[in-house]
C-alpha cells in the first residue's frame, strides 16, 4: 500500500524554524519528483516546492525562496521541508505529493501536517 | 508568473446536471493543465492531466478540454459524491500556479 505520511507541523512563533518530514512507502520513492503543496485555512491550494529524483533540481514559489529548503533522502525514503524565518502567512496545511502533475500514473498525497505561525 | 483565472468561484447544481468549470491562463501553457478535486478535510485528488487525459480510476463523466489559454472541466451528470471544490493547475512554467477554486454545492 502506498503511503505518504507527513509530520513535524506545530505552532511556532514568527521568525522561527520548523522541519517537516514526509515518510514514503509502497512505491519506488527515488524514481519520482516530489513536491510540497500547502493550503492556508479556508483558502485555495498553493504549490510550494519541487525536487527532482536525485535532488539535483529544486524549484520554489517566490514567497518562500531563500527561507525554505526542500530535500530528500532516497536511502530512507524521506522528503523534507526546512522552513526558516517563518511568517504568519506561512500558516497552512502542508501536503507532500508525488506523481500528482504530469505523470500518467496514479497520484499520491499525504494527509497533511498543520503549521501555525503565531505569537 | 502565470495567473490562472478560474470561474465560477462557486456553483450550485443538482444531481444529474451537466456542469462546466473554466480556467483561463494569462499566457499560453500548451496543454500543461491539470484538474483536482478536494473534499473538506482531505488531500486533493487529481482528475485530469495534460488537459484531457483522465486519471486512472476517475469516472468517465469527468472530461477536460482546451488548449493554449482556455481550458474547461466538464462533469456530464453530477453524482452526489462530486460535490467538492475543484482546482485547475498549470505546470508549464515555474512557479506552478493553481486557479482560485470552484466550490460545487448541491442545489
Amino acid at each position: 500500500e502506498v503511503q505518504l505520511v507527513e509530520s513535524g507541523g506545530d505552532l511556532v512563533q514568527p521568525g522561527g524554524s520548523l522541519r517537516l518530514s514526509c515518510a514514503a512507502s509502497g512505491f519506488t520513492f527515488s524514481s519520482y519528483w516530489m513536491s510540497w503543496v500547502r493550503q492556508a485555512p479556508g483558502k485555495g491550494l498553493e504549490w510550494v516546492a519541487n525536487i527532482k529524483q536525485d535532488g539535483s533540481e529544486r524549484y520554489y514559489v517566490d514567497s518562500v525562496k531563500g527561507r525554505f529548503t526542500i530535500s530528500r533522502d532516497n536511502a530512507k525514503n524521506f522528503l523534507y521541508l526546512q522552513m526558516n524565518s517563518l511568517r504568519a502567512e506561512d500558516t497552512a496545511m502542508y501536503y507532500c505529493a508525488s506523481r500528482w502533475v504530469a505523470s500518467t500514473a496514479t497520484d499520491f498525497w499525504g494527509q497533511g501536517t498543520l503549521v501555525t505561525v503565531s505569537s | 508568473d502565470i495567473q490562472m483565472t478560474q470561474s465560477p468561484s462557486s456553483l450550485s447544481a443538482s444531481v444529474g446536471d451537466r456542469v462546466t468549470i473554466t480556467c483561463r491562463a494569462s499566457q499560453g501553457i500548451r496543454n500543461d493543465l491539470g484538474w483536482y478535486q478536494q473534499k473538506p478535510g482531505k488531500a486533493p485528488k487529481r482528475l485530469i492531466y495534460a488537459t484531457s487525459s483522465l486519471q486512472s480510476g476517475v469516472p468517465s463523466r469527468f472530461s477536460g478540454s482546451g488548449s493554449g489559454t482556455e481550458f474547461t472541466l466538464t462533469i456530464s451528470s453530477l453524482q452526489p459524491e462530486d460535490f467538492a471544490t475543484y482546482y485547475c493547475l498549470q505546470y508549464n512554467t515555474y512557479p506552478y500556479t493553481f486557479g482560485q477554486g470552484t466550490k460545487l454545492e448541491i442545489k
Side-chain angles (χ1 to χ4, degrees):
Chain A
E1 180 195 3
V2 170
Q3 280 198 306
L4 291 173
V5 180
E6 301 96 334
S7 60
D10 204 348
L11 171 63
V12 61
Q13 291 191 340
S17 296
L18 213 52
R19 188 176 86 152
L20 305 184
S21 299
C22 172
S25 60
F27 69 107
T28 308
F29 176 77
S30 59
S31 295
Y32 297 99
W33 285 76
M34 294 295 298
S35 304
W36 289 98
V37 175
R38 69 183 178 182
Q39 186 169 38
K43 302 297 184 182
L45 299 170
E46 181 180 39
W47 168 79
V48 174
N50 274 6
I51 185 167
K52 195 176 180 179
Q53 289 92 327
D54 62 358
S56 61
E57 294 182 37
R58 309 177 196 208
Y59 300 92
Y60 301 92
V61 68
D62 287 351
S63 60
V64 309
K65 279 181 186 174
R67 301 188 300 122
F68 289 12
T69 301
I70 188 171
S71 62
R72 64 193 297 163
D73 185 332
N74 287 341
K76 296 181 179 177
N77 289 352
F78 267 83
L79 174 72
Y80 303 103
L81 187 67
Q82 178 67 43
M83 310 166 68
N84 298 331
S85 303
L86 281 161
R87 305 168 180 167
E89 54 265 34
D90 296 319
T91 294
M93 183 70 76
Y94 285 74
Y95 297 100
C96 69
S98 181
R99 310 187 340 177
W100 69 285
V101 179
S103 172
T104 59
T106 303
D107 54 331
F108 303 146
W109 296 79
Q111 83 290 350
T113 188
L114 182 62
V115 173
T116 304
V117 183
S118 174
S119 54
Chain B
D1 298 0
I2 296 175
Q3 309 303 317
M4 300 301 295
T5 303
Q6 187 173 340
S7 62
S9 56
S10 64
L11 179 57
S12 184
S14 301
V15 172
D17 283 354
R18 177 185 180 91
V19 301
T20 298
I21 299 168
T22 298
C23 258
R24 186 170 288 112
S26 59
Q27 64 190 70
I29 57 169
R30 302 187 305 177
N31 72 334
D32 299 328
L33 190 284
W35 290 97
Y36 299 79
Q37 177 193 68
Q38 188 180 33
K39 296 183 177 178
K42 300 293 187 183
K45 169 188 167 182
R46 188 175 65 169
L47 302 173
I48 301 276
Y49 61 94
T51 297
S52 59
S53 295
L54 196 66
Q55 170 80 55
S56 176
V58 172
S60 59
R61 62 181 179 272
F62 291 92
S63 64
S65 64
S67 67
T69 61
E70 190 133 345
F71 303 87
T72 59
L73 172 71
T74 299
I75 310 172
S76 60
S77 178
L78 275 174
Q79 298 302 301
E81 60 268 29
D82 299 338
F83 292 95
T85 301
Y86 293 84
Y87 296 90
C88 62
L89 169 82
Q90 74 78 21
Y91 52 90
N92 177 262
T93 304
Y94 284 114
Y96 292 168
T97 44
F98 285 95
Q100 304 95 316
T102 296
K103 187 172 183 179
L104 181 52
E105 298 175 308
I106 301 174
K107 184 184 287 184

